[in-house]
Amino acid sequence: MKKDTGFVRIAAAVPGTKVADPAENAEEIIKLTEDAEAEKAGIVVFPELALTGYTCGDLFFQDTLYDAQIRALGDIVNSTLRKRVTVVVGMYVRSEGALIDSVAVIRKGKLAGIVPKTYLTPGERRWFAPGGSWDVIDLPGSSDQFEASCVPFGPQIFHDEVSGLSFGIEIGSDMNSPVPPSAALTLRGAQVILNCAAQPDGMRAPMQRAESVKALSARLGCAYVYCGAGSSESNTDLMFSGQTVFAEAGEILHEGKRFSAGNNIEFCEADFRSIDFIRAHDTSRAGCRESIRGIDEIYFTDIEPVRPVNDGEKLFRTYERSPFVPDDPAEADAVCEEVFSIQTNALAKRMKSAHCTKLVVGISGGLDSTLTLLACSQAQRIANHPAGSTITVTMPGFGTTDQTYQHALDMMRLLGTDMREVSIVKSVTQHFEDIGQDSDNHDVTYENAQARERTQILMDIANQENALVIGTGDLSEIALGWCTYNGDHMSMYGVNGTVPKTMMRRIISWIIRDKLTGENADPKFSKDNGKLAETLQAVLDTPVSPELLPPDLSGEILQKTEDRVGPYELHDFFIYYTVMHGMGPAKLFMICRSAWGEEYDDETIKKWLKNFYRRFFTQQFKRDCSPGGAQVGPVSLSPRGGWQVPSEAQVTQWLRELDF
């Protein structure tokens, strides 16, 4: 049985409108509705006044146009009798002697409801009156074609009781008001807002409109679909482009093409279950509900189940492979700069609060300790402490390779730190003798004894120097529990605790380009920026490894972390959508296939997803006593507010959902 994923596919359809010809327009709307049905859309949205055209002017007052529109509406209603798609189309109605710019919602051969426009532009007031409170309406002249009596009319939310989907409607310039109708609609539970619009274009108008849609979706915590009138509406004074925008929770998911000569239809999915998850964390909504004007005047209209997207369907919506770092290079650099600034300034503040000037860092020559060292060096500059206030300790052991050892020495020297070297071979060998551990038995005891010995050395040096031990562990390792309890798991402060592995790479790359080699390079960053840049690049090119097992016969790294736990690029994807969106395993598998299907086959994704869940649940006990560190990204697994779950929670249900 296919599972409901919490996605609904929405089509934004822009017909090639013939102004003042409702019959022709209805034909185009029906064609586009059939296209939406063929692509298994749950909802298809058309522009404002799509039945007549937005620019009819004083023809709106003519009975001929109005009656033709009602007949055209009947054709559309009847065409949906055997379709599963819900049609949302702009029209106007007569009510109590006034003309009202409205939107009709059509489902399975019936008018489910009509929503009036709330806020009119000065030009629109020539023809239309604003909508009032909720009522019912009859459409005279329609009874011979379709049932259109006692139709719900007014502000309303259309609710599918089966899936839990609720959507509301606002029209055109409604979205630009200080308190748009969508504010009340979303506070009453609408996860999706559909805007049927006909707003003319001008310089920067489409860009500003897209930003408004994005901002509304963020502020209201909803999915927002904007569908504007096409270029066929254009006249002597106004130009329309057929702009379509899909946004969700502050992210633009898709923008359709503009200035299409004929019909155009764009598709994207709204994740209404994710919206519910996000809202459950927003405690301000209850207070807003008590203060918003008109919230009690919204009517709930139950509709037949809207077609969901099932787990076997391909999505139109795309997902960034690295959700923690934007795809756009300029935006990614800005994120890296912000994260590094938070890391370093927070560490400088921690030193001040602890009344100490010295930091102790264990340097392995790997990715995590490299970023930690860079952050410590920058924090010392912020605090006006000399570079030598950072004590760097390299502790070669059984698995240390010449390559990583040299990387460690080069970075320590180039950054001007207080360099120290303490081999752990002798002390760990003695420890093995003390506890009866065979040094040829490369089991978990063999590995963890080395990690704990290194932590002991760092802690004791910190005591000697009145310093803080700065941890190197990152978010990805913390999520998977890929650390030795009371070994590298522990420190006095963790600068990388909310930085995922994929972001670490981007930050170090940004430091190479911006701090060391770019036009804004800081000549005081190190003793030799060119050499440091080469070393950092070599670190990025080295496989991630704890180096707790001896190297191979050629001296190369034998123990590669991603061979054991899986690719970090997948795990960071899993972490983000599990914590930030509350996605279950089946849905997470589905979107991972969409994002990573060209790189990994289904069995590989499922294998590492199962491993993620096992480790994420069973390693919670390590997170229960994790060190402090400023949150720099959207995800924190700190037990002090970031991620609060019991260590005893069972993973059974999550793994069971992947048994398909």
Side-chain angles (χ1 to χ4, degrees):
M1 172 184 268
K2 291 185 176 180
K3 298 176 182 177
D4 174 0
T5 61
F7 286 116
V8 59
R9 181 168 299 133
I10 301 174
V14 181
T17 303
K18 290 188 176 180
V19 177
D21 193 344
E24 287 291 326
N25 294 336
E27 286 188 14
E28 300 306 312
I29 289 169
I30 291 170
K31 288 178 185 176
L32 287 166
T33 299
E34 289 170 349
D35 292 341
E37 177 78 5
E39 293 291 355
K40 299 181 179 180
I43 303 170
V44 58
V45 188
F46 292 91
E48 182 177 3
L49 296 167
L51 270 173
T52 58
Y54 178 77
T55 54
C56 289
D58 288 352
L59 294 177
F60 284 123
F61 296 122
Q62 298 285 317
D63 288 347
T64 300
L65 180 64
Y66 186 78
D67 293 343
Q69 178 201 227
I70 297 301
R71 290 193 297 273
L73 178 65
D75 292 338
I76 296 170
V77 171
N78 292 330
S79 74
T80 66
L81 188 60
R82 292 179 176 82
K83 292 184 174 69
R84 295 189 63 187
V85 66
T86 300
V87 178
V88 179
V89 61
M91 59 175 294
Y92 71 105
V93 298
R94 285 178 177 159
S95 177
E96 298 179 349
L99 301 181
I100 301 178
D101 187 351
S102 304
V103 165
V105 176
I106 303 165
R107 182 85 178 105
K108 286 279 188 179
K110 295 181 181 179
L111 266 177
I114 298 176
V115 177
K117 189 168 187 175
T118 304
Y119 302 109
L120 300 169
T121 66
E124 291 167 347
R125 289 182 180 274
R126 178 182 176 97
W127 308 290
F128 301 115
S133 58
W134 184 88
D135 202 345
V136 293
I137 191 172
D138 296 333
L139 297 182
S142 64
S143 58
D144 58 338
Q145 281 188 293
F146 65 104
E147 179 61 38
S149 60
C150 296
V151 179
F153 177 71
Q156 54 195 300
I157 290 173
F158 298 88
H159 178 65
D160 170 6
E161 192 173 88
V162 174
S163 69
L165 169 67
S166 295
F167 66 88
I169 293 164
E170 59 186 9
I171 305 173
S173 55
D174 279 348
M175 67 183 285
N176 301 323
S177 62
V179 184
S182 52
L185 292 167
T186 54
L187 287 172
R188 289 299 300 273
Q191 305 113 326
V192 179
I193 299 297
L194 309 173
N195 189 326
C196 302
Q199 296 176 297
D201 281 352
M203 187 172 64
R204 296 182 60 82
M207 184 186 307
Q208 292 170 348
R209 201 173 293 133
E211 285 300 314
S212 294
V213 170
K214 176 182 176 180
L216 274 174
S217 75
R219 181 160 57 88
L220 303 178
C222 68
Y224 198 108
V225 180
Y226 177 94
C227 183
S231 56
S232 55
E233 281 278 9
S234 303
N235 57 27
T236 304
D237 298 311
L238 299 175
M239 184 68 204
F240 299 82
S241 66
Q243 184 176 15
T244 55
V245 184
F246 298 79
E248 184 178 288
E251 178 186 358
I252 292 181
L253 304 178
H254 176 67
E255 289 192 71
K257 64 181 179 180
R258 298 164 55 219
F259 300 109
S260 177
N263 292 344
N264 182 43
I265 188 166
E266 304 283 344
F267 296 91
C268 194
E269 289 80 19
D271 187 351
F272 61 92
R273 293 274 167 73
S274 178
I275 292 297
D276 287 340
F277 179 82
I278 291 169
R279 288 180 178 179
H281 291 76
D282 183 2
T283 57
S284 69
R285 297 181 67 84
C288 291
R289 277 194 292 269
E290 296 175 3
S291 61
I292 196 79
R293 180 178 65 83
I295 196 166
D296 294 328
E297 299 174 1
I298 297 172
Y299 182 79
F300 280 80
T301 301
D302 289 327
I303 58 174
E304 289 193 43
V306 175
R307 174 165 43 199
V309 177
N310 292 313
D311 59 349
E313 295 180 36
K314 184 177 180 180
L315 299 176
F316 284 86
R317 174 174 178 162
T318 59
Y319 284 87
E320 291 186 354
R321 289 182 169 189
S322 299
F324 288 99
V325 185
D327 284 342
D328 178 73
E331 193 177 348
D333 283 351
V335 167
C336 290
E337 182 175 14
E338 180 69 14
V339 169
F340 193 65
S341 295
I342 295 172
Q343 282 183 294
T344 53
N345 281 278
L347 179 53
K349 174 64 187 302
R350 184 70 185 91
M351 283 191 287
K352 184 177 181 180
S353 300
H355 304 289
C356 76
T357 61
K358 293 186 177 182
L359 305 174
V360 177
V361 189
I363 308 298
S364 67
L367 196 66
D368 292 358
S369 64
T370 295
L371 182 57
T372 302
L373 173 56
L374 294 168
C376 288
S377 295
Q378 181 69 4
Q380 296 289 23
R381 283 191 286 272
I382 293 170
N384 292 316
H385 299 156
S389 297
T390 298
I391 301 166
T392 51
V393 189
T394 183
M395 296 166 281
F398 305 122
T400 303
T401 61
D402 293 340
Q403 181 183 24
T404 55
Y405 174 69
Q406 191 59 50
H407 291 165
L409 293 179
D410 288 344
M411 289 187 292
M412 294 155 66
R413 176 181 58 80
L414 291 167
L415 289 167
T417 66
D418 180 349
M419 297 175 60
R420 304 188 187 184
E421 180 174 333
V422 180
S423 172
I424 66 168
V425 174
K426 184 177 179 180
S427 58
V428 174
T429 300
Q430 179 61 53
H431 180 61
F432 286 163
E433 292 180 10
D434 293 341
I435 66 172
Q437 170 74 17
D438 184 352
S439 59
D440 292 327
N441 180 9
H442 297 168
D443 60 2
V444 67
T445 304
Y446 179 91
E447 295 185 32
N448 287 347
Q450 297 173 69
R452 293 193 180 103
E453 178 63 21
R454 286 178 170 132
T455 300
Q456 175 180 268
I457 291 168
L458 296 175
M459 291 288 183
D460 290 344
I461 291 175
N463 288 160
Q464 288 177 328
E465 300 286 349
N466 189 31
L468 295 175
V469 175
I470 306 304
T472 61
D474 62 68
L475 177 70
S476 308
E477 292 183 344
I478 291 169
L480 297 170
W482 189 251
C483 53
T484 298
Y485 193 87
N486 205 34
D488 54 316
H489 154 262
M490 190 48 60
S491 66
M492 297 172 182
Y493 189 84
V495 291
N496 298 334
T498 55
V499 183
K501 194 77 77 175
T502 48
M503 180 179 280
M504 274 189 155
R505 292 187 173 278
R506 296 295 289 270
I507 294 173
I508 293 174
S509 295
W510 166 77
I511 289 173
I512 293 172
R513 294 192 314 275
D514 190 82
K515 297 291 186 183
L516 301 178
T517 60
E519 60 182 19
N520 298 319
D522 180 1
K524 297 181 180 179
F525 197 90
S526 73
K527 293 179 178 180
D528 184 339
N529 283 356
K531 177 62 176 174
L532 181 58
E534 290 178 11
T535 304
L536 295 182
Q537 187 58 55
V539 170
L540 291 175
D541 295 338
T542 303
V544 177
S545 172
E547 292 195 327
L548 297 174
L549 297 179
D552 62 21
L553 295 177
S554 62
E556 297 296 322
I557 294 173
L558 178 65
Q559 185 184 23
K560 297 178 182 178
T561 299
E562 291 179 290
D563 291 345
R564 288 278 302 277
V565 300
Y568 277 119
E569 58 191 8
L570 288 184
H571 285 306
D572 287 354
F573 191 91
F574 300 154
I575 293 165
Y576 183 85
Y577 287 104
T578 296
V579 177
M580 294 300 296
H581 292 266
M583 283 192 185
K587 187 172 182 178
L588 184 50
F589 175 74
M590 178 184 182
I591 70 162
C592 189
R593 290 176 67 196
S594 176
W596 286 102
E598 294 182 2
E599 298 290 331
Y600 300 99
D601 61 31
D602 288 0
E603 287 306 309
T604 301
I605 293 173
K606 188 183 293 188
K607 169 188 173 182
W608 295 125
L609 183 54
K610 285 184 175 181
N611 192 52
F612 164 74
Y613 282 118
R614 288 191 192 98
R615 296 195 67 94
F616 192 59
F617 274 75
T618 62
Q619 301 297 295
Q620 174 62 29
F621 74 97
K622 295 180 181 177
R623 297 189 287 269
D624 286 344
C625 55
S626 56
Q631 181 171 344
V632 301
V635 174
S636 170
L637 299 179
S638 166
R640 294 170 295 278
W643 180 252
Q644 298 181 8
V645 298
S647 296
E648 295 76 16
Q650 299 299 301
V651 71
T652 309
Q653 296 301 320
W654 280 260
L655 294 179
R656 186 173 294 163
E657 193 172 312
L658 286 171
D659 289 335
F660 53 83

